[in-house]
């Protein structure tokens, strides 16, 4: 599976950005996909995650400002980021974990790095005050 992010950039505080993530290769209809971010000197953390059958997770710090969405026809994941703050500055990574049709599919997606087997190269988001 190949996962490629795009859409990062620089924006002033209060601005908006949309990140995109295109998945290709051996994808399946059962999956967890999401966005993680890593700021300098900090651990990679989950930002928003979506499960193929609907449930979503948002980090407390982004609730109400970020929205995760997907275009199943295009195998594309989005992260709409509004009201951006300087503390949102980080490298944002798209992650995907696919489940074989006959495999156990957990009720909730993992929110840890270890729960995802496919990663993009990351895209920088910089928010200036």
């Amino acid at each position: 599976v190949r996962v490629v992010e795009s859409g990062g950039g620089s924006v002033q505080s209060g601005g908006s950005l949309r990140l995109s993530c295109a998945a290709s290769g051996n994808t399946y209809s059962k999956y967890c996909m999401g966005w993680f971010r890593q700021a300098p000197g900090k651990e990679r953390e989950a930002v928003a995650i979506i499960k193929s059958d609907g449930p979503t997770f948002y980090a407390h710090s982004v609730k109400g400002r970020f929205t995760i969405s997907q275009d199943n026809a295009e195998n594309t994941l989005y992260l709409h980021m509004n009201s951006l703050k300087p503390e949102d500055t980080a490298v944002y990574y798209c992650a995907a974990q696919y489940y074989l049709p006959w495999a156990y599919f957990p009720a909730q997606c993992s929110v840890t790095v270890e729960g995802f087997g496919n990663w993009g190269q990351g895209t920088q988001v910089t928010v200036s005050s």
Side-chain angles (χ1 to χ4, degrees):
V1 176
R2 186 164 182 250
V3 177
V4 180
E5 309 98 336
S6 60
S10 297
V11 66
Q12 288 193 327
S13 182
S16 299
L17 282 174
R18 187 185 77 167
L19 304 183
S20 300
C21 171
S24 60
N26 291 329
T27 60
Y28 297 95
S29 61
K30 295 192 297 185
Y31 60 82
C32 292
M33 289 190 74
W35 295 93
F36 287 70
R37 67 186 180 187
Q38 188 166 19
K42 294 189 176 181
E43 292 189 353
R44 195 172 297 189
E45 61 175 0
V47 175
I49 294 169
I50 190 165
K51 192 166 178 270
S52 54
D53 55 3
T56 57
F57 161 85
Y58 290 97
H60 179 74
S61 60
V62 307
K63 274 184 181 178
R65 300 189 297 121
F66 291 12
T67 303
I68 189 170
S69 65
Q70 57 189 340
D71 182 336
N72 290 329
E74 299 292 331
N75 272 350
T76 302
L77 184 73
Y78 300 99
L79 185 66
H80 307 263
M81 304 185 292
N82 297 318
S83 302
L84 282 161
K85 304 175 181 180
E87 51 263 45
D88 294 317
T89 295
V91 177
Y92 283 70
Y93 296 89
C94 180
Q97 180 63 36
Y98 289 91
Y99 296 83
L100 294 170
W102 55 86
Y104 168 71
F105 193 30
Q108 292 181 321
C109 293
S110 170
V111 297
T112 67
V113 170
E114 293 75 18
F116 290 81
N118 304 283
W119 292 85
Q121 79 287 354
T123 186
Q124 177 70 45
V125 171
T126 301
V127 184
S128 58
S129 57

